[in-house]
Amino acid sequence: MKRTLTVGAALSATVILASAIQVSAVAQAAPVPASSKGSAALQRAELKSLAQASAPAVAAALGLGKDEALVAKDAVVDAGGARHLRFERTFAGLAVLGGDLVAHLDARGRVVSVDKATDAAIALPSTTPSVPADSAARQAKGAVQSTVGLTVDKDEAPIKEVTGSSAPKLVVWATSGTPRLAYETVVQGVREGDIPSAQKLVTDAATGEVLSTHEQYLAAAASGTGKGVFVGSVKLTTNSSGSTYQLKDPSRGNMYTTTLAGKTSGNGTLLTDADNAWGTGLASNAQSAAVDAQYGAAATWDYYKNAFGRSGIRNDGVGAYSRVHYGKNYVNAFWSDDCFCMTYGDGASNTHPLTELDVAGHEMTHGVTSNTAGLNYEGESGGLNEATSDIFGTMVEFSANLASDKGDYLIGELININGNGTPLRYMDKPSKDGASKDYWSSTIGNVDVHYSSGPANHFFYLLAEGSGAKTVNGVSYNSPTSNGSTLTGIGRDKAAAIWYRALTVYWTSTTNYKGARTGTLNAAKDLYGATSAEYKAVAAAWSGVNVN
């Protein structure tokens, strides 16, 4: 799944609007044990088991067909016992892309309402494809081969060669149009500059039409000390192994950092040190960028743990790992679900690593999104996906409160990708970057996801800080509204809590801006009440970016 900081995606599918429905049948689901109801002691595996046990009741309430089944992905249990169960869907044993949903149950286990990624009925006449699997593989490779040497996306290097493909996997495509039988195939290749490529294509199993395509890779204990390029002097939790120390943190799910030493594949080599004092703060020292990366992973872990009780990206207590010194002159950073890892390039001339703190928080948040709402990386959902990473990357930066990198509402302000000292994105007025949109419009789904994130970033700033001129940590902002309204913020912690609950409880893979408004209002109602100032502020902030 493509999860980069600056690179866009070429995606062919149309987004289906997420919808909330009231379930007419009241179905009884599996009970939550009284001893653990609403308790943080409920581990993720137990919550998933609870959700899976409730799957038949949810399926019955929805009236799903005999060939449909629900597979638990995640669950949230409120203090009062209400639960929010996230499911993927299968049809005749095949994964349904765009079939995900969130069922909302009351404390007695009765299904009250459901948020679905699609309202379309999943009813295929046959699961026998007209196109054989070997033909589907050739079609997928041919589609990528046809782009060799072409600049499909101005921010992506063109494909240089196609090297192979995975075996096509039969799926049901329900993300757009009429649900149909399809193949999912990963086509491997190499982009110019020897950058690896793995494009996941979905093709119609009857016609061979390409329904969707996106790049998966391209696009965010001992007590030691470190000096990073961006984080400055920090404390690090490391692992003592014999007479050496490893850049590995046993207290945070054994997260660790490796060096690729200019390579573009493999896990890299775990960094070790004799005296547990890492880096010099200079990019020329191979450990300095690793200090940034390891600290960024720890700061992201701590933010999610302290703010939401989330134990790691998957909420399973397992730490992701980070790879530094990727490739040569690679001006980007990316998260990969496949390796469950963060990867950082060294930037122009291999002297400007992409290891800034909000970049780390941004990219690893793509992992959180993937393991919760699973927002599609296209259309309005893609903009919300990118904004989610900007929002929580910003919150990680504020939470860490480093002297060398104070919290702000600027994205990537220290890495200087633009070459003129300007940040990548501005949350108070996104259009200041020259491409992002300040407000929602009916055409925003056609804009690159890094720029269609603008209204959501702008909403978050307005909700947190309000409109007009303001200075925060020495940075001046001046945020307008589409309707000329004057808004007062509720504070970034409350704004983040609302966004996180919407992400984890209400949104699905196809949530659009209208659905985001509904989800955040529901979240504000849950957290603060339907008549609260916070609820009213959410509504006003969305109206301030033309989402009404």
Side-chain angles (χ1 to χ4, degrees), residues 157-180:
I159 290 289
K160 185 167 67 174
E161 63 175 324
V162 174
T163 59
S165 75
S166 66
K169 180 176 69 173
L170 272 178
V171 297
V172 176
W173 174 258
T175 300
S176 64
T178 302
R180 68 195 85 172

Side-chain angles (χ1 to χ4, degrees), residues 221-222 236-239 248-255 298 301-302 311 317:
L236 297 171
T237 301
T238 59
N239 187 53
K248 184 176 184 178
D249 188 344
S251 70
R252 297 179 176 89
N254 281 317
M255 61 174 59
W301 176 288
D302 289 351
S311 184

Side-chain angles (χ1 to χ4, degrees), residues 323-327 330-333 343-347 352-355:
R323 305 185 301 178
V324 295
H325 307 306
Y326 174 90
Y330 185 66
V331 188
N332 220 318
T343 304
Y344 301 90
D346 283 325
H352 297 81
L354 278 288
T355 50

Side-chain angles (χ1 to χ4, degrees), residues 88-165:
E88 303 285 4
R89 198 181 329 186
T90 63
F91 179 87
L94 304 178
V96 179
L97 307 184
D100 54 296
L101 56 92
V102 184
H104 308 285
L105 285 65
D106 65 17
R108 288 185 286 177
R110 296 180 301 180
V111 181
V112 177
S113 65
V114 179
D115 289 299
K116 301 194 298 181
T118 179
D119 280 329
I122 311 299
L124 305 186
S126 171
T127 56
T128 301
S130 300
V131 176
D134 56 350
S135 297
R138 288 194 297 271
Q139 290 169 342
K141 287 192 289 186
V144 178
Q145 183 69 41
S146 68
T147 67
V148 168
L150 301 179
T151 302
V152 177
D153 187 318
K154 66 181 179 63
D155 291 320
E156 281 183 334
I159 290 289
K160 185 167 67 174
E161 63 175 324
V162 174
T163 59
S165 75

Side-chain angles (χ1 to χ4, degrees), residues 22 78 113 497-498 501-502 506 517-536 538-539:
Q22 292 295 317
D78 295 341
S113 65
I498 290 168
R501 183 165 177 84
Y506 291 107
R517 177 186 171 107
T518 300
T520 49
L521 283 170
N522 284 336
K525 179 173 64 176
D526 294 344
L527 295 172
Y528 306 108
T531 61
S532 65
E534 292 83 358
Y535 183 92
K536 295 173 184 176
V538 169

